[in-house]
Amino acid sequence: MTERVLTTRELNRALLARQLLLERSELSLTGALERVAGLQAQYAPSAYVGLWTRLRDFRRDALTKALEQRRAVQATLMRATIHIVSRRDFHLFAAAIRDERREWWFRVQRRQLQLEGVDMEKVAGRVQNHLADGPLRQAEIAERLRAEGFPRIAWVGAGMWIDLVRVPPSGTWEGRRADLYGLAETWLGPSTATQAAGLEHLVRRYLAGFGPASLKDVAGWTGLPATTLRPVVDGLRLRRFRDEGGGELLDLPRAPLPNPDTPAPVRFLPTWDATLLVHARRTQILPESARPLVFNTKTPHSVSTFLVDGAVAGTWRYEEGRVRLEPFGRVPREARRDLDEESERLAAFHGEEG
């Protein structure tokens, strides 16, 4: 049977639906984190804005409380970037990526940090010992290692051997520097997750949040080689489609594929929202003409953006109690009215107390 070809517009609406950007969801906070496969949080407020734009009646203190109550977890995960995920997903994600992160460390990072010859397993053991009595700041971990004869920077590699989490109040709206670390096994309890279970879970989460997608897309988002993921994909019961260029797309059974004519409301995205990264390029949520305006050498941290009809149409920033818009071009009158209303709501969100 000939595989169905999905248009760019269909892929765009599928992504928006799965990322909870077609309509605000009434899912629980942890349910939303699992639906969208976690949120990047290199800049702490990004996850808060990301949930505000996706959930109905979301308030800032809800995420802070979820982190404090350990229902949500902040840690360095996929592609060695900071993510906020559910407690359940953390253990499985960490098990999936652990071996590849160590290989990446030996291949690339150790050399860049001039740590060749340093026994990283011994370093990790010392860090684990230091954290046994509770969380410590990054600077204190580094100083303790220095006092024991290790380079201060060596602590960076410890997370390749032991699972670390960033502990609140660090990495929250109120305390934005995510530099307080704890042991995952202490903060969350021991894990029985295996690499095999983790890899399957990771692929399922990706397709549920970003599919239909190619194997290369999955690899790009996870930071794992396609050769590692191919046996996992081959072992799953998946739907298969083609994109307009003939490339194979993978998807979960019964995952939503909205009508391509489904209206897409105005939405505001934070910095580093994963929907804009290259793994989702085929959806054109970020038009190629706009990509250099969002990701470039002058803005390596990316910028906050807004969507009109399912595509980035400009940037926004919060200052002096207002959300200021910088469109990339002409915005239709009706969309401008919606942008103004949404801007007021986002400004009020920034101004919340507590």
Side-chain angles (χ1 to χ4, degrees):
M1 182 180 295
T2 303
E3 292 163 333
R4 175 182 165 188
V5 175
L6 298 177
T7 66
T8 298
R9 177 87 170 188
E10 287 176 299
L11 293 171
N12 176 272
R13 291 311 192 251
L15 177 66
L16 294 175
R18 299 177 193 201
Q19 285 292 310
L20 308 179
L21 295 172
L22 279 185
E23 59 180 344
R24 282 188 166 93
S25 173
E26 295 185 1
L27 284 169
S28 68
L29 186 150
T30 52
L33 288 173
E34 292 178 351
R35 177 69 61 85
V36 303
L39 291 171
Q40 288 194 215
Q42 289 98 309
Y43 175 55
S46 292
Y48 290 78
V49 174
L51 288 168
W52 170 84
T53 206
R54 289 170 166 91
L55 292 180
R56 194 180 305 278
D57 300 323
F58 174 76
R59 294 184 62 84
R60 285 207 324 250
D61 63 355
L63 177 54
T64 301
K65 287 180 180 177
L67 290 166
E68 292 171 345
Q69 295 169 357
R70 312 182 192 195
R71 293 180 288 115
V73 184
Q74 185 170 194
T76 301
L77 290 166
M78 290 75 70
R79 307 180 312 283
T81 55
I82 303 174
H83 283 74
I84 292 181
V85 300
S86 73
R87 180 181 186 135
R88 174 179 178 235
D89 278 357
F90 170 80
H91 283 309
L92 287 159
F93 286 0
I97 65 176
R98 187 176 295 123
D99 287 352
E100 293 295 344
R101 287 183 67 195
R102 289 180 186 177
E103 289 186 17
W104 168 77
W105 168 264
F106 279 118
R107 188 174 64 253
V108 178
Q109 193 74 353
R110 184 176 61 161
R111 186 182 310 113
Q112 291 180 351
L113 295 177
Q114 299 180 348
L115 291 174
E116 293 186 270
V118 176
D119 186 340
M120 290 308 304
E121 290 194 29
K122 188 173 182 180
V123 170
R126 297 309 304 155
V127 171
Q128 188 170 24
N129 184 65
H130 294 315
L131 293 175
D133 294 328
L136 292 172
R137 297 283 176 184
Q138 170 185 321
E140 187 170 1
I141 298 171
E143 182 56 29
R144 290 191 182 192
L145 288 177
R146 186 200 64 76
E148 295 173 336
F150 297 103
R152 284 176 55 91
I153 197 65
W155 79 271
V156 176
M160 307 299 133
W161 278 262
I162 53 176
D163 292 335
L164 302 176
V165 297
R166 287 173 161 85
V167 176
S170 78
T172 64
W173 188 284
E174 299 79 12
R176 300 184 179 184
R177 186 173 181 181
D179 65 342
L180 182 62
Y181 289 84
L183 296 172
E185 64 179 353
T186 302
W187 186 250
L188 302 174
S191 170
T192 59
T194 65
Q195 183 186 40
L199 286 169
E200 180 176 331
H201 189 76
L202 196 62
V203 171
R204 288 185 181 278
R205 281 283 188 248
Y206 179 79
L207 294 177
F210 294 97
S214 69
L215 180 62
K216 182 180 178 181
D217 296 335
V218 185
W221 177 79
T222 61
L224 302 176
T227 51
T228 298
L229 296 171
R230 170 58 73 183
V232 181
V233 166
D234 289 344
L236 297 176
R237 187 170 65 88
L238 299 174
R239 291 187 293 181
R240 283 173 165 76
F241 301 99
R242 295 284 170 180
D243 62 22
E244 291 178 310
E248 182 184 55
L249 301 176
L250 310 168
D251 201 14
L252 298 176
R254 298 182 297 281
L257 286 173
N259 187 305
D261 295 327
T262 302
V266 163
R267 286 291 182 262
F268 283 75
L269 299 179
T271 59
W272 289 119
D273 196 281
T275 55
L276 306 187
L277 302 182
V278 293
H279 68 94
R281 208 165 194 156
R282 73 183 70 251
T283 69
Q284 284 298 289
I285 190 173
L286 178 59
E288 291 307 309
S289 60
R291 187 170 291 277
L293 303 175
V294 176
F295 298 102
N296 55 65
T297 55
K298 293 183 179 179
T299 58
H301 56 285
S302 106
V303 292
S304 301
T305 57
F306 62 83
L307 308 180
V308 173
D309 192 25
V312 171
T315 65
W316 65 271
R317 67 186 186 279
Y318 176 76
E319 60 182 23
E320 299 178 351
R322 295 179 53 195
V323 170
R324 301 184 184 276
L325 306 178
E326 293 186 10
F328 293 151
R330 180 181 173 275
V331 175
R333 181 179 301 175
E334 183 176 344
R336 184 71 203 207
R337 182 172 62 249
D338 293 341
L339 279 170
D340 290 342
E341 293 175 356
E342 194 78 345
S343 294
E344 291 180 9
R345 288 192 286 269
L346 182 53
F349 176 76
H350 277 76
E352 283 182 13
E353 294 184 4

